[in-house]
Amino acid sequence: MIKHKKNLQKTVIAISLLLLSTIGFSQEKKARIIEDFNKNWNFKLGDYPTAIQSDFKTTDWRTLQLPHDWSIEGAFDKDSKTKQAQGFLPAGKGWYRKVFTVPANWKNKSVSIEFDGVFKNSEVFINGHSLGIRPNGYISFGYDLSKYLNFDKKENVIAVKVDNDAQPNSRWYTGSGIYRNVRLVASEKLHVGKWGTFVTTPEVAAAKSKIHLEVTIDNDNGIAKEFKLVTSILNAENKEVASFTSTEKIRAKTSEKKIHDLVLNQPKLWSTENPYLYKVVTKVYEGSKLVDDYETPLGFRFFDFDAEKGFSLNGKPTKILGVCLHHDNGALGAVENIHAVRRKLKILKEMGTNAIRMSHNPHSLEMMQLCDEMGFIVQDEAFDVWKKKKVTNDYHKDWDAWHKQDLEDFIKRDRNHPSVMMWSIGNEIREQFDSTGIAITRELAKIVKSLDTTRPVTAALTENIIEKNFIYQSGALDLLGFNYKHEDYKDFPERFKGQKILASESVSALETRGHYDFPDGIKAWPTKHGAAFDGNADWTVSAYDQVKSYWGATHEENWKTIKKQDFMAGTFIWTGFDYIGEPDPYPYPARSSYFGIIDLAGLPKDVYYMYKSEWTTKPVLYIFPHWNWKAGQEVDVWAYYNNADEVELFLNGKSLGKKSKQNDDLHISWRVKFEPGAIKAVSRKDGKVVLEAAIHTAGEASKIDLKADKTTIKNDTYDLVYVTVSIVDKDGNLLPNANDLINFEVLGGGKLVGVDNGYQANLDSFKASSCKLFNGKCIVIIQSNGKNEAIQLKASGGKEIPISSIEVKVQ
Ligand code: GAL
């Protein structure tokens, strides 16, 4: 109570101090030093315990830049210990080592190393001392290096052992190694602690919002300190819009929590359409000396899950139009790269996606940051397994020793992201069928609540018979997530009276981009456990949205159900993108999943446009398949459209009739006898043409077409450009069946870091300098190599087609 009053007082002072603030934050030199620590590591596959010693020779080790994933560099192997679930790629053990010096003036600083993720079982050593182990491959962690560092130009050695040898340990591709960023952080001994801020907005309204900030200050000095703590709220234009200063004391060698409360008039709200971001800058002064500065993202939004009305954001009823994502970046493997993540999210945003489920583990900082910046609602998920295993060597082995710390660290790292609106403590956890599930659910929910009470705790359940579901019976979930069984949704309000409900995972339909089986028709695989899949000899699956897992639904079946049920907060489709591993229902050589709305290379499958027509208000008219068939063949032509009353189809100028969606249809279709030429659709509203879409039969190959997603990239050794490659005829029509091998050469300021054609059974290396087109297309990923020269990509196919090239500037 007393504390509360004091805070109110502080708030008042904050507002009055606003204009009087004498310390201009922007002119000051930064106190906290954050260094990119990704460059110049040595790496070798195998086990090298003596690499921790300073005189160890790494002459035959590779030099590389992190993030790095050694699994993606390996060959697919039918007998790989990782098995089908992880895409038949290798795992094993590997060591990383880096020699570095630190400036003499760091002697009196606190210096730490931060790892965003190492898969898995890492042990980090500095100058021969073990700093600790971390079994969980998805958790961000760090160590204080201060007491072991050498100064005065004397070298330091960091060695990292990574042990991903015990297999199988996952139901999907994990990657191996230091696959996320590493930083070195140096601050004065009086500083903000690790993940040391927690900002909440106890009241949000357009007129006025409250900001509550908890700051944990670490005093690593041997004496008590008095200091000034300054909180500045900056808007998206970096202008200070509120500030508050307090004078504080801290004892020697302790961590203490300090509270600041502020008020902001007329805040701009964060939403999925306009994700307006503020930031909190926390500064610590000893006398007039700035000793630390620390940034925390801040967004003003309020949301609600309601048992009858579903989800609302800022008071506006909003369906969660989500997709589940695994963490891999296709041809880059698990290597995390902000540009790869931005591309994925951009493609999803265009489709109308407004939410991401971080399946089934903590994702990268970049992913979290971009969800804030680009406006996605996040379901942040901690675990796929608790104490009971799903596969032999999975996280159940580390559960007892690590789950508490892993869950706490996960929440502390992510709780400042305005995009995060749910904490999921698990996916399809085995304990839902076991009475031990009750106690564990309660324990985990308590851990979450001890760190954040502003978001509901949820879990993704499969069992919707109440008596059988012990996670539900715990009573500890604020929001019930259900995976699949969309036919049962209608009974949920009755069965789970008063509960808030979300379709945490749905669909699991299968498609191969650009492949079509005729006649179209619904097909489930297998119809029961163990039954063989009546698939295609080339391991393709038809791209008509008609092939589904027996537990799942087609995209249309699921969306029709969700859109009608107001109580349902929304849906997360399994999955946004294909991912490596889990190529069900096919065995080897299939090595990546079929579930994506978008293929592994990032090329949309046709059903992408069904979502676009339903999830956005942008006008859509999309027809498929391509128009290169045998004369007389019967072809099912589908159209997805919106904003129109009818669509008329024409074959070579002749009308094949008008159609419109009836009842809850999500597409219309015609069965057409193929003739070469043009198939064209025209959508009309009130008799006026809205859109036209046409596909022409492609003739002879004339040119390799290269389309880069950017014209300029940074020469920072990280930035990426994705180039889509296809073969077109003299009129620019895509050859939809082209499967030519295209060779690539990259000159100037870039290097090739990946190729992919999205074919789920392609066993060629993602790291090759050539790629076979699949159903007409493939992609090349080029990364800046740091040279300040324009990048030139040359692509050559067979003798008949001339070499093509494209230039991308660097700056
Ligand atoms: C779900 C599971 C996902 C994935 C999916 C495939 O049951 O949660 O991780 O395995 O099935 O359909």
Side-chain angles (χ1 to χ4, degrees), residues 214-251:
E214 297 176 10
V215 188
T216 303
I217 301 287
D218 289 354
N219 181 14
D220 298 341
N221 292 289
I223 51 166
K225 289 276 174 179
E226 203 175 279
F227 63 95
K228 198 156 62 177
L229 185 65
V230 181
T231 298
S232 300
I233 308 297
L234 307 191
N235 67 12
E237 293 77 49
N238 256 347
K239 292 214 172 73
E240 188 177 79
V241 289
S243 78
F244 180 72
T245 302
S246 64
T247 303
E248 310 279 356
K249 284 193 178 118
I250 186 166
R251 285 162 296 142

Side-chain angles (χ1 to χ4, degrees), residues 171-172 326 357 360 384 390 427-428 462 483-484 505 508 549 551 574 579 582 584 595:
R171 300 189 301 108
W172 58 88
H326 269 316
R357 174 175 177 225
H360 300 301
D384 189 54
K390 286 186 179 168
N427 173 59
E428 301 189 352
T462 48
N483 289 5
Y484 306 98
E505 187 175 314
S508 276
S549 55
W551 56 89
W574 191 266
Y579 49 95
E582 216 177 25
D584 297 343
F595 300 118

